[in-house]
């Protein structure tokens, strides 16, 4: 299923890029990626254990 032209693989790639940016303390990039995903209807939820879950709105 695609959301805003993004399939599950593309969403997973963006989430991985966001996690890498966070690890590098590049929070501006991480926030930009979260905002890009939100713009196409994907909600990203950071878990306390460091995992990231996402779902379509």
């Amino acid at each position: 299923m695609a959301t805003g032209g993004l399939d599950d693989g593309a969403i997973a790639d963006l989430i991985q890029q966001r996690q890498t940016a966070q690890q590098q303390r590049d929070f501006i990039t991480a926030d930009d990626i979260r905002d890009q995903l939100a713009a196409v209807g994907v909600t990203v939820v950071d878990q306390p254990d460091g995992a990231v879950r996402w779902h379509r709105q």
Side-chain angles (χ1 to χ4, degrees):
M1 176 188 279
T3 298
L6 296 178
D7 62 17
D8 288 358
I11 292 168
D13 287 344
L14 283 170
I15 289 172
Q16 180 59 49
Q17 291 173 30
R18 180 176 176 265
Q19 287 180 295
T20 299
Q22 287 176 319
Q23 290 167 356
Q24 295 172 347
R25 304 192 60 76
D26 181 359
F27 299 114
I28 293 172
T29 298
D31 288 348
D32 285 346
I33 293 169
R34 183 196 61 222
D35 292 345
Q36 288 173 27
L37 289 166
V40 295
V42 176
T43 300
V44 178
V45 181
D46 294 314
Q47 302 295 303
D49 64 359
V52 177
R53 298 187 191 274
W54 62 271
H55 60 87
R56 291 178 173 86
Q57 298 174 353

